[in-house]
Amino acid sequence: MQKSLELYNRAKSVIPGGVHSNSRARAPHPLYFTKAKGPYITDVDGNEYIDLIMGNGSIIFGHNYEPFVELFNKYLPDGLVTGSETELSIDVSEKFLQFVDHDQVRFTNTGTEAITHVIQMARAYTGKNDIAVCEGAYNGWTDHVFVSAWPDLTKAGEEHNPIPLPGTGGLDPKVVESTVVIPFNKWEETENILRREAHRLACVILEPVMIDVGFIEPDPEYLKNLRALCDELDILLVFDELLTGFRLSLGGAQQYFGVKPDLSTFGKAIANGYVLAAVAGKREVMEVAAPGGKTGFVGTYNGHQVSLAAAKAVFELLEDGTILEELHEMTEQLINEFNNSCSRYGINGVMKGRGGHVHWYFSDTPVETYRQAARTDHETFAKFSGKLFELNCLVSGKTLSHHKLSYSHKGEALEKLVERIDTALKSLK
Protein backbone atom coordinates (compact mmCIF):
# COMPACT_ATOMS: atom_id res chain seq x y z
CA MET A 1 0.00 0.00 0.00
CA GLN A 2 2.95 2.28 -0.60
CA LYS A 3 1.11 4.58 -3.03
CA SER A 4 -1.78 5.04 -0.59
CA LEU A 5 0.72 5.92 2.11
CA GLU A 6 2.37 8.46 -0.18
CA LEU A 7 -0.99 10.01 -1.02
CA TYR A 8 -1.90 10.13 2.65
CA ASN A 9 1.31 11.97 3.49
CA ARG A 10 0.52 14.43 0.73
CA ALA A 11 -3.17 14.75 1.65
CA LYS A 12 -2.88 15.30 5.39
CA SER A 13 -1.17 18.66 4.90
CA VAL A 14 -4.18 20.04 3.00
CA ILE A 15 -7.06 17.81 4.23
CA PRO A 16 -7.65 17.14 7.95
CA GLY A 17 -6.76 13.49 8.48
CA GLY A 18 -6.35 13.06 4.75
CA VAL A 19 -10.08 12.35 4.26
CA HIS A 20 -13.21 14.37 3.53
CA SER A 21 -15.37 12.20 5.81
CA ASN A 22 -14.07 10.84 9.09
CA SER A 23 -15.74 7.51 8.39
CA ARG A 24 -13.11 6.89 5.67
CA ALA A 25 -10.22 6.99 8.14
CA ARG A 26 -8.45 3.66 8.56
CA ALA A 27 -5.38 2.48 10.49
CA PRO A 28 -2.55 2.90 9.75
CA HIS A 29 -3.70 5.27 7.00
CA PRO A 30 -6.65 5.74 4.61
CA LEU A 31 -6.82 3.94 1.30
CA TYR A 32 -7.10 5.88 -1.94
CA PHE A 33 -8.89 4.33 -4.90
CA THR A 34 -8.53 4.65 -8.61
CA LYS A 35 -11.42 2.70 -10.16
CA ALA A 36 -14.45 0.54 -9.48
CA LYS A 37 -16.52 -1.87 -11.51
CA GLY A 38 -19.49 -3.98 -10.41
CA PRO A 39 -18.78 -5.39 -6.92
CA TYR A 40 -15.05 -4.59 -7.06
CA ILE A 41 -13.00 -1.53 -6.13
CA THR A 42 -9.28 -1.06 -6.83
CA ASP A 43 -6.85 1.05 -4.84
CA VAL A 44 -3.95 3.08 -6.21
CA ASP A 45 -1.55 0.22 -5.45
CA GLY A 46 -3.53 -2.11 -7.74
CA ASN A 47 -5.18 -4.14 -4.95
CA GLU A 48 -8.68 -5.26 -5.97
CA TYR A 49 -11.26 -5.75 -3.23
CA ILE A 50 -14.76 -7.15 -3.03
CA ASP A 51 -16.48 -3.96 -1.92
CA LEU A 52 -18.77 -4.37 1.10
CA ILE A 53 -18.98 -0.63 1.77
CA MET A 54 -20.70 0.23 -1.54
CA GLY A 55 -20.95 3.96 -0.95
CA ASN A 56 -22.38 3.42 2.54
CA GLY A 57 -25.32 1.62 0.96
CA SER A 58 -26.00 4.10 -1.83
CA ILE A 59 -24.76 1.90 -4.67
CA ILE A 60 -27.51 -0.67 -5.09
CA PHE A 61 -26.71 -1.99 -8.60
CA GLY A 62 -22.91 -1.92 -8.42
CA HIS A 63 -20.18 0.41 -9.57
CA ASN A 64 -20.56 1.55 -13.17
CA TYR A 65 -23.44 -0.90 -13.75
CA GLU A 66 -23.97 -0.69 -17.50
CA PRO A 67 -27.81 -0.80 -17.69
CA PHE A 68 -27.92 2.03 -15.16
CA VAL A 69 -25.28 4.07 -16.99
CA GLU A 70 -27.16 3.72 -20.30
CA LEU A 71 -30.45 4.93 -18.80
CA PHE A 72 -28.74 7.68 -16.83
CA ASN A 73 -27.14 9.07 -20.01
CA LYS A 74 -30.50 8.84 -21.76
CA TYR A 75 -32.26 10.93 -19.11
CA LEU A 76 -29.57 13.61 -18.61
CA PRO A 77 -31.14 17.00 -19.34
CA ASP A 78 -29.74 19.15 -22.13
CA GLY A 79 -27.49 21.65 -20.40
CA LEU A 80 -29.64 21.93 -17.27
CA VAL A 81 -27.94 21.24 -13.96
CA THR A 82 -29.37 23.22 -11.05
CA GLY A 83 -31.50 26.16 -9.99
CA SER A 84 -34.37 25.40 -12.40
CA GLU A 85 -37.48 23.23 -12.38
CA THR A 86 -38.06 20.82 -15.28
CA GLU A 87 -40.45 18.12 -16.38
CA LEU A 88 -37.86 15.59 -15.18
CA SER A 89 -38.44 16.67 -11.57
CA ILE A 90 -42.15 15.97 -11.99
CA ASP A 91 -41.52 12.59 -13.66
CA VAL A 92 -39.27 11.46 -10.82
CA SER A 93 -41.67 12.75 -8.15
CA GLU A 94 -44.58 10.88 -9.70
CA LYS A 95 -42.57 7.66 -9.97
CA PHE A 96 -41.33 8.00 -6.38
CA LEU A 97 -44.90 8.30 -5.13
CA GLN A 98 -45.91 5.20 -7.11
CA PHE A 99 -43.42 3.27 -4.97
CA VAL A 100 -43.75 5.06 -1.62
CA ASP A 101 -47.22 5.56 -0.13
CA HIS A 102 -47.06 9.28 0.59
CA ASP A 103 -48.97 12.25 -0.82
CA GLN A 104 -46.12 14.56 -1.80
CA VAL A 105 -42.33 14.60 -2.10
CA ARG A 106 -39.55 17.16 -2.39
CA PHE A 107 -35.94 16.51 -3.31
CA THR A 108 -32.87 17.81 -1.53
CA ASN A 109 -29.27 16.60 -1.43
CA THR A 110 -28.23 14.71 1.69
CA GLY A 111 -29.84 12.84 4.55
CA THR A 112 -28.78 15.50 7.03
CA GLU A 113 -30.43 18.20 4.92
CA ALA A 114 -33.60 16.14 4.64
CA ILE A 115 -33.75 15.60 8.40
CA THR A 116 -33.19 19.32 9.01
CA HIS A 117 -36.14 20.15 6.74
CA VAL A 118 -38.27 17.58 8.55
CA ILE A 119 -37.54 19.07 11.97
CA GLN A 120 -38.51 22.58 10.80
CA MET A 121 -41.69 21.25 9.20
CA ALA A 122 -42.66 19.29 12.31
CA ARG A 123 -42.21 22.33 14.52
CA ALA A 124 -44.24 24.52 12.19
CA TYR A 125 -47.03 21.93 11.96
CA THR A 126 -47.32 21.02 15.66
CA GLY A 127 -46.29 24.27 17.32
CA LYS A 128 -43.90 22.33 19.55
CA ASN A 129 -40.12 22.64 19.54
CA ASP A 130 -38.23 19.50 20.55
CA ILE A 131 -37.63 16.08 19.03
CA ALA A 132 -36.98 12.50 20.13
CA VAL A 133 -34.42 10.11 18.64
CA CYS A 134 -33.46 6.50 19.33
CA GLU A 135 -30.42 5.73 21.44
CA GLY A 136 -27.53 4.58 19.29
CA ALA A 137 -28.99 5.78 16.00
CA TYR A 138 -27.31 8.14 13.55
CA ASN A 139 -29.76 10.46 11.78
CA GLY A 140 -27.31 13.09 10.54
CA TRP A 141 -24.70 15.43 11.93
CA THR A 142 -26.69 18.52 13.02
CA ASP A 143 -26.98 19.44 16.69
CA HIS A 144 -30.52 18.16 17.27
CA VAL A 145 -30.00 14.65 15.92
CA PHE A 146 -26.31 13.93 16.51
CA VAL A 147 -27.35 12.99 20.04
CA SER A 148 -26.65 9.64 21.71
CA ALA A 149 -25.30 8.25 18.45
CA TRP A 150 -23.20 5.22 19.46
CA PRO A 151 -23.04 6.53 23.07
CA ASP A 152 -20.64 5.30 25.71
CA LEU A 153 -22.78 3.09 27.96
CA THR A 154 -20.81 4.09 31.03
CA LYS A 155 -22.20 7.62 30.58
CA ALA A 156 -25.60 6.91 29.03
CA GLY A 157 -27.63 6.33 32.20
CA GLU A 158 -30.26 3.65 32.64
CA GLU A 159 -31.91 2.02 29.63
CA HIS A 160 -35.37 3.00 30.85
CA ASN A 161 -34.33 6.68 30.83
CA PRO A 162 -31.28 7.32 28.59
CA ILE A 163 -29.24 10.47 29.10
CA PRO A 164 -28.88 12.60 25.92
CA LEU A 165 -25.18 12.71 25.07
CA PRO A 166 -23.45 14.70 22.31
CA GLY A 167 -22.43 12.45 19.42
CA THR A 168 -19.44 14.70 18.77
CA GLY A 169 -17.74 17.80 20.08
CA GLY A 170 -18.88 21.21 18.91
CA LEU A 171 -22.62 20.71 19.47
CA ASP A 172 -24.72 23.27 21.34
CA PRO A 173 -25.15 21.76 24.84
CA LYS A 174 -28.59 23.31 25.27
CA VAL A 175 -29.76 21.73 22.01
CA VAL A 176 -28.37 18.33 23.02
CA GLU A 177 -30.13 18.53 26.39
CA SER A 178 -33.41 19.40 24.68
CA THR A 179 -33.40 16.20 22.59
CA VAL A 180 -35.28 13.27 24.09
CA VAL A 181 -33.70 9.82 23.76
CA ILE A 182 -35.78 6.64 23.62
CA PRO A 183 -34.61 2.99 23.66
CA PHE A 184 -35.42 1.28 20.34
CA ASN A 185 -37.36 -1.99 20.74
CA LYS A 186 -38.11 -1.39 24.45
CA TRP A 187 -41.77 -0.48 24.25
CA GLU A 188 -42.75 0.10 27.88
CA GLU A 189 -39.74 2.37 28.43
CA THR A 190 -40.39 4.22 25.15
CA GLU A 191 -44.04 4.81 26.00
CA ASN A 192 -43.23 6.15 29.47
CA ILE A 193 -40.69 8.63 28.10
CA LEU A 194 -42.91 9.88 25.27
CA ARG A 195 -45.95 10.34 27.52
CA ARG A 196 -43.84 12.30 29.98
CA GLU A 197 -42.33 14.58 27.30
CA ALA A 198 -45.24 14.79 24.82
CA HIS A 199 -46.03 18.41 25.66
CA ARG A 200 -42.78 19.56 24.01
CA LEU A 201 -42.20 17.00 21.25
CA ALA A 202 -42.82 17.96 17.62
CA CYS A 203 -41.68 14.60 16.26
CA VAL A 204 -40.04 11.25 16.88
CA ILE A 205 -37.33 10.41 14.33
CA LEU A 206 -36.14 6.83 13.95
CA GLU A 207 -34.64 4.36 11.55
CA PRO A 208 -37.38 1.70 11.29
CA VAL A 209 -34.50 -0.78 11.18
CA MET A 210 -31.41 0.30 13.10
CA ILE A 211 -28.76 -0.14 10.42
CA ASP A 212 -26.11 2.32 11.57
CA VAL A 213 -25.43 -0.08 14.44
CA GLY A 214 -25.47 -3.17 12.21
CA PHE A 215 -28.92 -4.53 11.50
CA ILE A 216 -31.56 -4.54 14.26
CA GLU A 217 -35.13 -5.09 13.13
CA PRO A 218 -38.00 -3.74 15.23
CA ASP A 219 -40.13 -5.96 17.39
CA PRO A 220 -43.32 -6.66 15.36
CA GLU A 221 -45.45 -4.48 17.65
CA TYR A 222 -42.96 -1.71 18.40
CA LEU A 223 -43.59 0.37 15.26
CA LYS A 224 -47.36 -0.20 15.39
CA ASN A 225 -47.53 0.87 19.02
CA LEU A 226 -45.38 3.90 18.27
CA ARG A 227 -47.67 4.91 15.41
CA ALA A 228 -50.75 4.76 17.66
CA LEU A 229 -49.06 6.61 20.52
CA CYS A 230 -47.83 9.44 18.29
CA ASP A 231 -51.36 9.92 16.99
CA GLU A 232 -52.69 10.05 20.55
CA LEU A 233 -50.05 12.53 21.77
CA ASP A 234 -50.00 14.84 18.70
CA ILE A 235 -46.41 13.96 17.83
CA LEU A 236 -45.36 13.47 14.21
CA LEU A 237 -43.80 10.09 13.42
CA VAL A 238 -40.80 10.37 11.09
CA PHE A 239 -39.05 7.40 9.47
CA ASP A 240 -35.43 7.92 8.48
CA GLU A 241 -35.36 5.61 5.44
CA LEU A 242 -32.00 6.73 4.10
CA LEU A 243 -30.75 3.14 4.39
CA THR A 244 -33.95 1.09 4.33
CA GLY A 245 -35.53 2.86 1.35
CA PHE A 246 -35.66 0.88 -1.92
CA ARG A 247 -33.81 -2.01 -0.24
CA LEU A 248 -36.21 -3.59 2.26
CA SER A 249 -38.98 -3.17 -0.31
CA LEU A 250 -39.78 -0.80 -3.16
CA GLY A 251 -42.01 1.13 -0.75
CA GLY A 252 -39.41 1.17 1.98
CA ALA A 253 -39.56 -0.18 5.51
CA GLN A 254 -42.97 1.43 5.94
CA GLN A 255 -44.38 -0.88 3.28
CA TYR A 256 -42.43 -3.87 4.58
CA PHE A 257 -43.70 -3.46 8.16
CA GLY A 258 -47.12 -2.01 7.29
CA VAL A 259 -46.69 1.17 9.36
CA LYS A 260 -47.10 4.56 7.70
CA PRO A 261 -45.27 7.56 9.20
CA ASP A 262 -46.30 11.18 8.82
CA LEU A 263 -43.00 12.09 7.16
CA SER A 264 -40.11 10.12 5.70
CA THR A 265 -36.62 10.84 4.49
CA PHE A 266 -35.02 8.82 1.69
CA GLY A 267 -31.61 8.82 0.03
CA LYS A 268 -28.64 6.49 -0.60
CA ALA A 269 -30.00 3.86 -3.04
CA ILE A 270 -32.42 6.38 -4.54
CA ALA A 271 -29.78 7.44 -7.11
CA ASN A 272 -27.19 4.61 -7.11
CA GLY A 273 -24.45 6.80 -5.68
CA TYR A 274 -25.43 10.22 -7.04
CA VAL A 275 -26.18 12.97 -4.53
CA LEU A 276 -29.92 12.96 -3.81
CA ALA A 277 -32.28 12.79 -0.83
CA ALA A 278 -36.03 13.16 -0.47
CA VAL A 279 -38.57 14.34 2.07
CA ALA A 280 -42.04 12.84 1.63
CA GLY A 281 -45.20 12.72 3.68
CA LYS A 282 -48.80 13.64 4.26
CA ARG A 283 -50.08 16.52 2.18
CA GLU A 284 -51.16 18.64 5.16
CA VAL A 285 -47.71 18.34 6.72
CA MET A 286 -45.74 18.80 3.51
CA GLU A 287 -47.64 21.95 2.63
CA VAL A 288 -46.50 23.82 5.74
CA ALA A 289 -43.27 24.27 3.75
CA ALA A 290 -44.95 25.24 0.48
CA PRO A 291 -44.27 28.76 -0.82
CA GLY A 292 -46.08 31.14 1.50
CA GLY A 293 -46.36 28.47 4.19
CA LYS A 294 -45.19 28.53 7.79
CA THR A 295 -41.61 27.47 7.07
CA GLY A 296 -39.15 27.51 4.20
CA PHE A 297 -37.76 24.74 2.02
CA VAL A 298 -34.93 26.12 -0.08
CA GLY A 299 -31.61 25.02 -1.54
CA THR A 300 -29.69 25.85 -4.70
CA TYR A 301 -29.04 22.18 -5.42
CA ASN A 302 -32.48 20.84 -4.46
CA GLY A 303 -33.82 18.75 -7.33
CA HIS A 304 -30.39 18.68 -8.97
CA GLN A 305 -31.07 17.58 -12.54
CA VAL A 306 -28.13 15.18 -12.89
CA SER A 307 -29.14 13.39 -9.69
CA LEU A 308 -32.76 13.23 -10.81
CA ALA A 309 -31.66 11.59 -14.06
CA ALA A 310 -29.90 8.97 -11.93
CA ALA A 311 -33.02 8.48 -9.82
CA LYS A 312 -35.19 8.03 -12.90
CA ALA A 313 -32.80 5.32 -14.11
CA VAL A 314 -32.90 3.64 -10.68
CA PHE A 315 -36.70 3.59 -10.59
CA GLU A 316 -36.94 2.14 -14.07
CA LEU A 317 -34.54 -0.68 -13.21
CA LEU A 318 -36.23 -1.46 -9.89
CA GLU A 319 -39.82 -1.15 -11.07
CA ASP A 320 -40.60 -4.80 -11.90
CA GLY A 321 -39.16 -6.00 -8.59
CA THR A 322 -36.79 -8.57 -10.10
CA ILE A 323 -33.53 -6.94 -9.01
CA LEU A 324 -34.72 -6.37 -5.46
CA GLU A 325 -35.97 -9.94 -5.16
CA GLU A 326 -32.61 -11.28 -6.31
CA LEU A 327 -30.86 -8.98 -3.87
CA HIS A 328 -32.99 -10.42 -1.05
CA GLU A 329 -32.06 -13.96 -2.15
CA MET A 330 -28.35 -13.10 -2.27
CA THR A 331 -28.57 -11.56 1.20
CA GLU A 332 -30.31 -14.62 2.61
CA GLN A 333 -27.73 -16.92 1.02
CA LEU A 334 -24.82 -14.99 2.55
CA ILE A 335 -26.51 -14.93 5.95
CA ASN A 336 -27.08 -18.70 5.85
CA GLU A 337 -23.50 -19.39 4.79
CA PHE A 338 -22.07 -17.18 7.55
CA ASN A 339 -24.27 -18.65 10.24
CA ASN A 340 -23.54 -22.22 9.08
CA SER A 341 -19.80 -21.54 9.20
CA CYS A 342 -20.13 -20.16 12.73
CA SER A 343 -21.93 -23.34 13.78
CA ARG A 344 -19.31 -25.51 12.06
CA TYR A 345 -16.43 -23.82 13.89
CA GLY A 346 -18.19 -23.38 17.23
CA ILE A 347 -18.18 -19.56 17.06
CA ASN A 348 -20.81 -17.40 18.77
CA GLY A 349 -21.54 -15.30 15.71
CA VAL A 350 -24.57 -14.28 13.70
CA MET A 351 -25.16 -12.33 10.51
CA LYS A 352 -28.37 -10.35 10.06
CA GLY A 353 -29.74 -8.34 7.16
CA ARG A 354 -32.09 -7.84 4.22
CA GLY A 355 -32.04 -6.10 0.86
CA GLY A 356 -28.28 -6.16 0.53
CA HIS A 357 -27.70 -4.82 4.05
CA VAL A 358 -25.71 -7.33 6.10
CA HIS A 359 -23.82 -7.17 9.36
CA TRP A 360 -22.21 -9.65 11.70
CA TYR A 361 -22.12 -9.72 15.48
CA PHE A 362 -20.12 -11.95 17.77
CA SER A 363 -22.20 -12.60 20.87
CA ASP A 364 -23.67 -15.46 22.87
CA THR A 365 -26.91 -13.51 23.44
CA PRO A 366 -29.49 -12.07 21.00
CA VAL A 367 -28.89 -8.59 19.54
CA GLU A 368 -32.21 -6.75 19.57
CA THR A 369 -31.32 -3.37 21.10
CA TYR A 370 -28.51 -0.83 20.84
CA ARG A 371 -27.14 -1.75 24.24
CA GLN A 372 -26.98 -5.42 23.33
CA ALA A 373 -25.14 -4.52 20.11
CA ALA A 374 -22.72 -2.29 22.00
CA ARG A 375 -21.86 -5.17 24.34
CA THR A 376 -21.00 -7.68 21.61
CA ASP A 377 -17.45 -9.00 21.25
CA HIS A 378 -15.47 -6.12 19.73
CA GLU A 379 -12.16 -7.99 19.84
CA THR A 380 -13.44 -10.93 17.79
CA PHE A 381 -15.12 -8.55 15.37
CA ALA A 382 -11.82 -6.75 14.83
CA LYS A 383 -9.93 -10.02 14.25
CA PHE A 384 -12.54 -11.29 11.79
CA SER A 385 -12.80 -8.00 9.88
CA GLY A 386 -9.01 -7.71 9.80
CA LYS A 387 -8.73 -11.18 8.30
CA LEU A 388 -11.39 -10.36 5.69
CA PHE A 389 -9.42 -7.26 4.75
CA GLU A 390 -6.28 -9.39 4.36
CA LEU A 391 -8.36 -11.55 2.00
CA ASN A 392 -9.15 -8.45 -0.10
CA CYS A 393 -12.63 -7.69 1.16
CA LEU A 394 -13.22 -3.99 1.81
CA VAL A 395 -14.97 -3.94 5.18
CA SER A 396 -15.42 -1.65 8.15
CA GLY A 397 -13.36 -2.26 11.24
CA LYS A 398 -16.05 -0.66 13.39
CA THR A 399 -18.24 -3.10 15.34
CA LEU A 400 -21.26 -0.81 15.19
CA SER A 401 -21.39 -0.15 11.47
CA HIS A 402 -23.02 -1.84 8.48
CA HIS A 403 -22.06 -3.68 5.29
CA LYS A 404 -23.71 -3.90 1.91
CA LEU A 405 -24.15 -6.04 -1.15
CA SER A 406 -25.09 -4.71 -4.56
CA TYR A 407 -26.89 -6.51 -7.35
CA SER A 408 -23.51 -6.93 -9.07
CA HIS A 409 -22.27 -9.17 -6.25
CA LYS A 410 -24.35 -12.05 -7.61
CA GLY A 411 -22.52 -15.02 -9.08
CA GLU A 412 -18.73 -15.14 -8.90
CA ALA A 413 -18.22 -12.30 -6.40
CA LEU A 414 -20.71 -13.80 -3.96
CA GLU A 415 -19.05 -17.20 -4.24
CA LYS A 416 -15.64 -15.64 -3.54
CA LEU A 417 -17.11 -13.73 -0.61
CA VAL A 418 -18.59 -16.89 0.92
CA GLU A 419 -15.21 -18.64 0.63
CA ARG A 420 -13.32 -15.73 2.18
CA ILE A 421 -15.81 -15.40 5.03
CA ASP A 422 -15.45 -19.11 5.78
CA THR A 423 -11.67 -18.79 5.74
CA ALA A 424 -11.78 -15.79 8.09
CA LEU A 425 -14.14 -17.54 10.51
CA LYS A 426 -12.00 -20.67 10.46
CA SER A 427 -8.99 -18.54 11.41
CA LEU A 428 -10.85 -17.45 14.56
CA LYS A 429 -11.19 -21.04 15.68
Side-chain angles (χ1 to χ4, degrees), residues 165-224:
L165 297 172
T168 183
L171 303 184
D172 184 335
K174 293 180 180 178
V175 173
V176 173
E177 291 170 7
S178 74
T179 296
V180 173
V181 182
I182 59 175
F184 184 81
N185 260 352
K186 306 288 284 188
W187 174 247
E188 183 177 345
E189 294 87 340
T190 294
E191 181 180 15
N192 290 340
I193 293 169
L194 292 181
R195 286 192 181 279
R196 184 183 72 215
E197 306 294 346
H199 64 283
R200 64 186 179 99
L201 289 178
C203 64
V204 175
I205 300 173
L206 77 160
E207 288 183 293
V209 178
M210 288 191 73
I211 294 179
D212 273 306
V213 296
F215 195 92
I216 300 177
E217 289 195 88
D219 178 273
E221 297 304 311
Y222 185 83
L223 295 182
K224 293 178 182 178

Side-chain angles (χ1 to χ4, degrees), residues 160-366:
H160 69 274
N161 192 29
I163 297 172
L165 297 172
T168 183
L171 303 184
D172 184 335
K174 293 180 180 178
V175 173
V176 173
E177 291 170 7
S178 74
T179 296
V180 173
V181 182
I182 59 175
F184 184 81
N185 260 352
K186 306 288 284 188
W187 174 247
E188 183 177 345
E189 294 87 340
T190 294
E191 181 180 15
N192 290 340
I193 293 169
L194 292 181
R195 286 192 181 279
R196 184 183 72 215
E197 306 294 346
H199 64 283
R200 64 186 179 99
L201 289 178
C203 64
V204 175
I205 300 173
L206 77 160
E207 288 183 293
V209 178
M210 288 191 73
I211 294 179
D212 273 306
V213 296
F215 195 92
I216 300 177
E217 289 195 88
D219 178 273
E221 297 304 311
Y222 185 83
L223 295 182
K224 293 178 182 178
N225 290 340
L226 189 59
R227 171 69 281 175
L229 185 65
C230 285
D231 285 339
E232 177 189 342
L233 301 178
D234 188 30
I235 302 171
L236 294 185
L237 179 60
V238 178
F239 279 2
D240 176 351
E241 294 236 39
L242 268 288
L243 287 164
T244 53
F246 309 107
R247 279 187 176 267
L248 262 66
S249 70
L250 291 180
Q254 53 200 269
Q255 181 186 63
Y256 183 65
F257 293 111
V259 176
K260 185 176 179 179
D262 300 297
L263 291 169
S264 305
T265 60
F266 286 79
K268 306 290 188 185
I270 195 172
N272 197 46
Y274 284 81
V275 180
L276 188 68
V279 175
K282 293 181 177 178
R283 185 179 304 274
E284 60 268 28
V285 183
M286 293 292 292
E287 289 189 345
V288 301
K294 294 181 178 180
T295 189
F297 196 112
V298 295
T300 296
Y301 299 106
N302 288 359
H304 193 275
Q305 296 299 299
V306 174
S307 297
L308 290 179
K312 187 169 183 178
V314 167
F315 293 160
E316 185 165 328
L317 289 168
L318 290 180
E319 188 165 16
D320 70 359
T322 302
I323 287 178
L324 193 54
E325 185 58 37
E326 288 193 45
L327 195 54
H328 291 324
E329 292 172 1
M330 292 159 55
T331 306
E332 186 174 352
Q333 178 186 343
L334 189 63
I335 289 171
N336 290 337
E337 295 284 359
F338 180 97
N339 294 341
N340 289 340
S341 290
C342 284
S343 297
R344 184 162 54 251
Y345 301 126
I347 296 169
N348 289 321
V350 63
M351 181 181 282
K352 303 170 70 175
R354 179 172 172 81
H357 286 296
V358 294
H359 196 67
W360 46 86
Y361 300 100
F362 295 98
S363 175
D364 56 4
T365 59

Side-chain angles (χ1 to χ4, degrees), residues 52-107:
L52 290 179
I53 304 298
M54 299 308 295
N56 293 331
S58 63
I59 301 171
I60 188 170
F61 302 126
H63 299 289
N64 203 30
Y65 180 65
E66 290 183 7
F68 167 79
V69 173
E70 290 174 3
L71 286 171
F72 169 67
N73 289 330
K74 173 182 174 182
Y75 296 136
L76 278 174
D78 186 8
L80 292 165
V81 178
T82 192
S84 304
E85 292 294 333
T86 65
E87 186 174 358
L88 175 63
S89 67
I90 303 171
D91 291 343
V92 177
S93 298
E94 290 172 341
K95 185 59 69 176
F96 177 97
L97 294 173
Q98 288 179 24
F99 291 155
V100 181
D101 185 19
H102 275 313
D103 297 328
Q104 292 185 325
V105 63
R106 284 179 117 170
F107 294 110

